[in-house]
Amino acid sequence: MISHDVKYPENPGTARLTPGSSRTRPISNHLHRVPLPLVRHGLAEIYAAQGRSEELRTLVTPGSSTGLALLLARALVAQGRVDEGIAVLQERVDADEQHSRDWLIQLLVEQGRADQAVTVLKGMPSSYRSTSTAELSVARLLDEQGRPEDAIRILQGTGSAPERLAALLAAQGRVDEAVRVLDRAVEDTDTRYPAAIERLTRAKADLLAEHDHDRQDQNRN
């Protein structure tokens, strides 16, 4: 039987519950007036901080929040149980829960699992991608792993990270394509955001200056 006792600090008036202190009392003695979802989440955070993944797992039930699943997944990963942690979030992705894909992709990227991250990304509905940074994270990982062409394919057509896409293209010698990416991004940016337009324009100028300098070096050699 799993005990839901938690360790409290010596001063019962302390606002924050801290792990590792010397006194232990049932949590129900103190949190019975708090709404159940808050109790559940607070208890889950304590279990996660204490590395008590099995107790934490008892709180992650069908219908519980995706945030609780994320806590469990990260606790398992911290214990070296990476595949178990991934499986916890994959269940939430399969249930099409909000944020689950972003969180699973983030976890996969942190573990260097680029191909799995790409698979999850491909299943992400386009409606989610407008507010997600998942594509950029996956593309960065692919580039770090020496797969720039795969990174380019991830970013092409999304419009989500034109500066990164332009840099990747330029690094592969595709400078004209990189310039077109930045020009299109400027055209697509609302004029109410002059700072964004200025940033893109400056990125284009820097890119051209850098590669013009490279060409001059090549000509001298």
Side-chain angles (χ1 to χ4, degrees), residues 71-206:
L71 280 174
L72 174 58
R74 289 203 169 280
L76 290 167
V77 168
Q79 295 173 348
R81 299 159 66 181
V82 177
D83 289 334
E84 289 181 65
I86 290 170
V88 168
L89 285 179
Q90 183 62 58
E91 288 181 4
R92 300 308 178 104
V93 169
D94 294 341
D96 198 29
E97 294 183 12
Q98 189 177 18
H99 305 307
S100 60
R101 289 174 177 81
D102 277 306
W103 289 343
L104 177 55
I105 289 171
Q106 182 181 353
L107 190 63
L108 291 167
V109 167
E110 290 170 2
Q111 298 302 311
R113 299 193 178 194
D115 289 330
Q116 286 178 268
V118 169
T119 298
V120 178
L121 183 63
K122 287 180 178 178
M124 181 179 285
S126 57
S127 58
Y128 289 4
R129 296 193 180 194
S130 61
T131 57
S132 172
T133 60
E135 290 161 329
L136 181 58
S137 297
V138 175
R140 185 179 291 114
L141 175 62
L142 289 166
D143 187 40
E144 290 171 354
Q145 293 184 348
R147 300 166 60 182
E149 292 297 337
D150 289 337
I152 288 169
R153 278 191 287 273
I154 290 292
L155 294 179
Q156 279 179 326
T158 67
S160 60
E163 292 163 85
R164 182 65 178 169
L165 175 56
L168 287 168
L169 288 166
Q172 299 304 303
R174 298 159 65 178
V175 178
D176 290 342
E177 287 182 69
V179 170
R180 287 196 294 272
V181 166
L182 293 172
D183 284 342
R184 186 165 56 249
V186 169
E187 292 172 3
D188 292 344
T189 301
D190 195 309
T191 55
R192 291 177 296 177
Y193 303 104
I197 293 173
E198 181 181 353
R199 188 186 69 248
L200 291 164
T201 303
R202 186 167 57 250
K204 175 184 172 181
D206 291 345

Side-chain angles (χ1 to χ4, degrees), residues 17-50:
L17 305 183
T18 55
S21 54
S22 59
R23 296 175 67 184
T24 302
R25 291 189 298 276
I27 193 169
S28 58
N29 289 357
H30 302 275
L31 298 181
H32 62 282
R33 295 182 179 177
V34 181
L36 183 58
L38 294 180
V39 173
R40 185 183 295 270
H41 197 85
L43 185 56
E45 287 184 338
I46 294 171
Y47 287 158
Q50 294 178 344

